[in-house]
């Protein structure tokens, strides 16, 4: 399969690769290209940004979460009709697990997918030293994937002078430069959040950044580089087997032929979902029915399960608390036995109280008799592998991979699972679970153990009761 593709990577975080990636996507859009975008690593934010602002389908690719075969399958999954895929790297090119391993790095992912790399270098305040910097990165490039460079935050005059020297000494192409423009930087924001009132401003910023790219960067050359990527071959059956494994966990439940309505929180407060997690749930029979804990007053009708994903409940504490009808509906459903999954923001929502960074406390759903509050620092940040103490969602002696990213902590994080960091081996207890619910801070990646998703679907199917709404009351049918 022909899959034109290019990786925009950087020598370190803060080099400007996100702005340059988005500006490149914007200009490729203007040229009428059918695009796909991907983000290396576990971060929800850039794929959300690409979809929200650029309306480009975007997904995560992570070589810690997924095997090499799965990474290739995920990349090829929706390629039909795509003319070019742009992959944005994470951190510095070689920065992987714990900052020291190749696994999980941008370079590891590029090697798996054989993607030609364009390296972004913040050349502000640099002269010929940029050549030495690039020479070091090329020395580490055992797979010979780095094909070119974009010099960021530097002048056209300097670029014209240094580009021939880079190309002569290092044998890579200088695709151009992006002059420093403070007003064109995409600001770091609270977890990457773009508020509705900001969208027009951000779109204008990207339009101007795109024009700078058009004027100063060889976009046609980058397109030609993407076209030069070698073909990738994987049959549809290979892709499906790699991602989903065997058809069903419990063959008697006929999970692929019967659709199970599962309510999923989707609004400003709950928006962190891996696209591939949702595809896996749908593959095993889920019909995902969106609802808003912020704006709706009752749960969707005829549901057999409930999913509360991550997001920003701390930014909407007052609104979530004031929607008492929804809080009571969620509490009644869970206490009545409706299977449920809640992670990070969704887990916070299930607590009795949430105290935000301004010391304001708001009542939440209350099915977890504990409080959650702002602690002013990242808590247990990073990758982990999760194992259950008593097998319920996972087969015995297996785990599932995920990560944590939150500034809040609970007085009852749970003790039903053990999380372990992949490099240091540091471990801690977490998660509250029973056979029909799984609640905790970790963001899980289902493709690392699809049995988790199968078990949740099976539990939804096993419910003899069909939940329905009648007015504000929830009852068994």
């Amino acid at each position: 399969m022909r899959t034109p593709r290019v990786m925009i990577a950087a020598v370190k975080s803060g080099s400007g690769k996100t702005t340059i990636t988005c500006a490149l996507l914007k200009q490729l859009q203007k040229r009428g290209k059918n695009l796909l975008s991907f983000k290396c690593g576990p971060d929800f934010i850039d794929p959300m940004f690409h979809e929200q602002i650029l309306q480009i389908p975007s997904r995560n690719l992570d070589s810690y979460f997924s095997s090499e075969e799965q990474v290739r399958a995920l990349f090829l999954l929706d390629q039909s009709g795509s003319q070019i895929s742009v992959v944005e790297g994470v951190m510095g090119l070689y920065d992987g697990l714990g900052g020291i391993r190749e696994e999980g790095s941008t370079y590891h992912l590029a090697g798996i997918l054989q993607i030609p790399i364009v390296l972004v270098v913040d050349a502000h305040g640099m002269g010929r030293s940029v050549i030495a910097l690039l020479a070091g990165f090329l020395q580490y490039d055992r797979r010979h994937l780095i094909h070119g460079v974009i010099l960021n935050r530097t002048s056209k005059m300097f670029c014209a002078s240094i580009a021939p020297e880079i190309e002569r000494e290092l044998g890579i192409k200088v695709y151009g430069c992006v002059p420093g423009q403070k007003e064109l930087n995409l600001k770091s924001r609270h977890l990457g959040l773009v508020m509705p009132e900001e969208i027009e401003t951000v779109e204008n910023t990207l339009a101007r950044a795109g024009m700078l790219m058009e004027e100063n960067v060889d976009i046609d050359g980058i397109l030609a580089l993407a076209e030069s990527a070698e073909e990738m071959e994987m049959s549809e059956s290979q892709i499906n087997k790699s991602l989903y494994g065997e058809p069903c966990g419990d063959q008697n439940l006929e999970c692929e032929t019967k659709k199970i309505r599962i309510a999923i929180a989707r609004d400003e407060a709950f928006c962190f979902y891996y696209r591939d997690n949702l595809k896996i749930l749908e593959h095993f029979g889920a019909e995902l029915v969106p609802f808003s804990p912020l704006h709706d007053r009752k749960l969707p009708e005829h549901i057999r399960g409930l999913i509360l994903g991550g997001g920003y409940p701390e930014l909407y504490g007052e609104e979530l608390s004031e929607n008492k009808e929804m809080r009571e509906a969620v509490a009644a459903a869970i206490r009545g036995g409706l299977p449920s999954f809640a992670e990070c923001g969704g887990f916070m929502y299930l607590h009795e109280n949430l105290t935000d960074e301004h010391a304001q406390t708001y009542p939440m759903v209350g099915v977890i008799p504990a409080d959650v509050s702002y602690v002013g620092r990242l808590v247990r940040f990073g990758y982990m592998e999760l194992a259950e103490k008593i097998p319920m969602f996972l087969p015995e002696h297996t785990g599932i991979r995920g990560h944590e990213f939150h500034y809040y902590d609970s007085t009852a994080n749970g003790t039903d699972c053990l999380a372990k960091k992949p490099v240091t081996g540091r471990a801690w207890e977490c998660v509250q679970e029973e056979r029909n619910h799984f609640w905790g801070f970790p963001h899980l990646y289902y493709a690392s153990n699809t049995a988790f998703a199968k078990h949740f679907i099976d539990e939804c199917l096993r419910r003899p009761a069909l939940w329905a709404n009648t007015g504000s009351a929830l009852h068994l049918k």
Side-chain angles (χ1 to χ4, degrees), residues 368-386:
I368 297 175
D371 298 328
V372 64
S373 59
Y374 180 73
V375 295
R377 59 180 171 77
L378 280 171
V379 184
R380 298 178 296 278
F381 168 70
Y383 288 117
M384 96 273 286
E385 184 157 6
L386 208 65

Side-chain angles (χ1 to χ4, degrees), residues 61-75 103 108-109 112-113 234 241-243 401 445 447-449:
L61 293 172
D62 190 298
S63 63
Y64 171 70
F65 284 165
S66 308
S67 67
E68 293 191 7
E69 182 182 18
Q70 283 180 328
V71 166
R72 286 188 281 269
L74 288 164
F75 179 77
E103 184 185 3
H108 189 212
L109 182 71
I112 293 169
L113 297 176
M234 206 171 189
K241 185 175 181 180
S242 174
L243 297 183
R401 293 184 171 187
Y445 195 72
S448 66
N449 194 332

Side-chain angles (χ1 to χ4, degrees), residues 5-8 21 25 35-41 46-47 50 56-61 71 73-79 82 84-89 109 113 115 276:
R5 56 200 185 274
V6 66
M7 170 86 76
I8 305 299
T21 299
L25 288 167
L35 303 170
L36 288 177
S37 72
F38 298 87
K39 173 65 178 180
C40 175
D46 288 315
H50 294 166
I56 295 171
S58 187
R59 302 211 315 276
N60 295 82
L61 293 172
V71 166
L74 288 164
F75 179 77
L76 293 170
L77 189 59
D78 297 318
Q79 284 288 343
S82 170
I84 180 173
S85 293
V86 178
V87 183
E88 180 185 344
L109 182 71
L113 297 176
I115 303 179
D276 298 312

Side-chain angles (χ1 to χ4, degrees), residues 293-294 316-325 327 349 361-364:
L294 274 172
Y316 299 94
E318 184 174 3
E319 294 93 328
L320 289 168
S321 185
E322 287 178 348
N323 192 350
K324 189 176 179 182
E325 296 97 323
R327 289 194 290 117
Y349 181 56
T361 298
Y362 302 102
M364 294 287 115

Side-chain angles (χ1 to χ4, degrees), residues 2-44:
R2 287 196 66 256
T3 54
R5 56 200 185 274
V6 66
M7 170 86 76
I8 305 299
V11 300
K12 65 181 180 66
S13 294
S15 298
K17 66 178 175 294
T18 296
T19 302
I20 286 173
T21 299
C22 289
L24 174 62
L25 288 167
K26 189 76 174 175
Q27 292 313 108
L28 293 175
Q29 257 185 341
K30 288 184 69 173
R31 296 179 183 211
K33 296 295 182 182
N34 188 5
L35 303 170
L36 288 177
S37 72
F38 298 87
K39 173 65 178 180
C40 175
D43 186 6
F44 296 94

Side-chain angles (χ1 to χ4, degrees), residues 340-353:
S340 59
F341 171 73
E343 66 179 17
C344 204
F347 175 58
M348 291 164 62
Y349 181 56
L350 294 182
H351 282 67
E352 284 190 349
N353 297 292

